[in-house]
Amino acid sequence: MDCLFCKIIDKQIPAEIVYEDDLVLAFKDISPQAPFHALVIPKKHIATLNDITEEDRAVVGHMVMVAGKIANEQGFAEAGYRTVFNCNQDGGQTVYHIHLHVLGGKAMGWPPYQETLKQPIN
């Protein structure tokens, strides 16, 4: 698979890993949008949320649980944090391997909408 995140999973591309187990890998975002910003990705390649199947239910639930574990370990779980899945171009997805953003360490406003759209990364 010629996917940026698959290459990170295979350790072909370095990343600052904050969590890893048999199902998922979490690493710091290279363009953080909060004092702490990590991505939780499944080790199985799933392109978008639209591609999740019934057999993927456990790994996607595990991603959310890992996000909570990371927030707790980083010390901002009680104060609060944000998790975000982006789906496809209009949703802001730039890498087509599902990933859960975990953002914390500051209060966040709403809505997170911006006029400038992000561009896909191959």
Side-chain angles (χ1 to χ4, degrees), residues 5-116:
F5 289 172
C6 287
K7 290 177 181 176
I8 290 172
I9 291 164
D10 291 340
K11 310 294 193 279
Q12 295 174 10
I13 296 175
E16 190 174 344
I17 296 170
V18 296
Y19 181 88
E20 183 173 12
D21 64 25
D22 291 344
L23 297 175
V24 302
L25 178 77
F27 56 94
K28 288 191 175 179
D29 194 296
I30 61 169
S31 181
Q33 303 299 306
F36 180 87
H37 185 174
L39 305 176
V40 181
I41 63 173
K43 289 188 173 178
K44 174 186 177 184
H45 182 87
I46 304 167
T48 76
L49 291 177
N50 297 333
D51 299 306
I52 294 171
T53 66
E54 191 68 32
E55 71 180 34
D56 301 321
R57 179 191 301 234
V59 73
V60 174
H62 186 64
M63 291 170 69
V64 175
M65 289 180 62
V66 167
K69 179 178 179 141
I70 291 168
N72 189 54
E73 289 173 356
Q74 293 295 319
F76 52 76
E78 292 302 316
Y81 58 100
R82 180 170 292 160
T83 58
V84 178
F85 278 108
N86 297 324
C87 185
N88 284 327
Q89 185 173 356
D90 282 0
Q93 186 174 6
T94 58
V95 177
Y96 285 81
H97 182 128
I98 64 169
H99 49 287
L100 179 61
H101 295 260
V102 181
L103 302 110
K106 72 172 189 174
M108 295 176 215
W110 192 262
Y113 179 77
Q114 295 180 358
E115 290 292 327
T116 305

